[in-house]
Amino acid sequence: MVQYISHRLDASFAALSDPTRRGVLEQLGRADASISDLADRFHMTLTGMKKHVSLLEAAGLVTTEKVGRVRICRLGRGMLETEAAWIDQQRRIWTERFDALDAIVQELKQGNPT
Amino acid sequence: MVQYISHRLDASFAALSDPTRRGVLEQLGRADASISDLADRFHMTLTGMKKHVSLLEAAGLVTTEKVGRVRICRLGRGMLETEAAWIDQQRRIWTERFDALDAIVQELKQGNPT
DNA sequence: TATATACTGAACCATTAAGTTCAGTATTAG
DNA sequence: CTAATACTGAACTTAATGGTTCAGTATATA
């Protein structure tokens, strides 16, 4: 399971590391869109955008549905849940360690005044 | 400024997309470490680990200090703040849109019973 | 039916990434 | 002083990314 999560984080953080793909997520937060819509908005070929969307889909951040000749893209449910959880955990650990260090510094100040 | 943040998110999400580098962050959450320590722990050459650490440092996630011949690596202050903020914002937008959609569905159910 | 639209897939190109080895410099220990 | 340690930098290999073009299929419109 840990392996599974790690692999998922690989994919989603890699997906988020590209400004176009973050832009697509932001756009899909405003409204669903077709591949053509997105390609237009980000000044890219259809094929290029298709690859970005496929990648986002593989990372579980976006879902798509083909309706007629159009593929509709939406944000995925539970989007960024795992990613937020990992980041929060790291920040929690860091804060704890920092607070502990701070406490030691305070203690030294008390016990060892200039 | 938006440009600046975007560039920073590029770098940090790319940094987070590698399991070794996420491992390094987790490890540094437990204790500071030298490059050699980390290279050992992750079964990699010194040179290889150095590159990962440099990348993490460039992304602002880690700071280092050279003491004698050893380079000590620690978590950076304010680590993952910007990244957590971006993710939280996206999740907030998504939740709002989802709730709004849900409300519409409810309304349709009320006004248009089977 | 003929044409335009929307996507899909294969192939290609340039750049970056992850890792290595090897040769060096600086610092510490004996 | 000598030897071992810890890092640094350059060069190289292999693979992945981000983008393209071109040729195709499927669907909608005139």
Side-chain angles (χ1 to χ4, degrees):
Chain A
M1 209 268 272
V2 172
Q3 286 290 71
Y4 164 72
I5 288 185
S6 178
H7 198 273
R8 168 178 176 120
L9 290 176
D10 288 2
S12 48
F13 283 132
L16 294 178
S17 73
D18 182 85
T20 301
R21 285 190 297 259
R22 285 198 308 277
V24 166
L25 290 182
E26 286 168 8
Q27 184 54 36
L28 293 181
R30 292 191 266 279
D32 297 350
S34 70
I35 309 263
S36 301
D37 290 343
L38 296 170
D40 263 15
R41 186 176 298 266
F42 292 92
H43 312 99
M44 191 175 297
T45 57
L46 203 55
T47 312
M49 182 51 71
K50 171 74 180 350
K51 281 170 121 181
H52 282 304
V53 169
S54 300
L55 213 144
L56 286 166
E57 199 173 8
L61 300 174
V62 157
T63 65
T64 71
E65 181 195 359
K66 187 104 181 216
V67 175
R69 61 185 165 174
V70 176
R71 182 170 294 279
I72 298 172
C73 310
R74 335 187 138 79
L75 293 185
R77 300 225 170 169
M79 180 189 79
L80 297 174
E81 231 164 58
T82 314
E83 296 71 25
W86 187 86
I87 287 188
D88 287 350
Q89 160 114 346
Q90 290 311 118
R91 282 165 56 72
R92 200 177 49 70
I93 290 171
W94 174 83
T95 305
E96 273 167 24
R97 239 167 64 77
F98 182 70
D99 288 353
L101 199 65
D102 208 48
I104 289 170
V105 169
Q106 287 300 323
E107 213 157 306
L108 284 176
K109 265 196 199 161
Q110 301 281 323
N112 205 10
T114 349
Chain B
M1 211 266 273
V2 172
Q3 286 289 73
Y4 165 73
I5 288 186
S6 178
H7 197 272
R8 165 174 181 124
L9 290 176
D10 287 2
S12 49
F13 283 132
L16 295 177
S17 73
D18 183 86
T20 300
R21 285 189 297 259
R22 285 197 308 277
V24 167
L25 290 183
E26 286 167 9
Q27 184 53 36
L28 293 181
R30 293 191 266 279
D32 297 349
S34 70
I35 311 261
S36 301
D37 290 343
L38 295 170
D40 264 16
R41 186 177 295 269
F42 292 93
H43 311 101
M44 190 174 297
T45 58
L46 202 54
T47 311
M49 182 50 73
K50 172 74 180 349
K51 280 169 121 180
H52 282 305
V53 169
S54 299
L55 213 143
L56 285 166
E57 199 173 7
L61 300 175
V62 158
T63 65
T64 72
E65 181 195 358
K66 187 104 181 220
V67 174
R69 62 186 165 178
V70 177
R71 182 171 293 279
I72 299 171
C73 311
R74 337 187 136 80
L75 294 185
R77 301 224 169 169
M79 179 187 81
L80 296 174
E81 230 164 57
T82 314
E83 296 71 24
W86 186 86
I87 288 189
D88 287 350
Q89 159 116 346
Q90 290 313 116
R91 282 166 54 73
R92 199 176 51 70
I93 290 171
W94 174 81
T95 305
E96 273 168 22
R97 239 168 66 77
F98 182 70
D99 288 353
L101 199 66
D102 208 49
I104 289 170
V105 169
Q106 287 301 323
E107 211 157 307
L108 284 175
K109 264 195 198 163
Q110 300 281 324
N112 206 12
T114 350

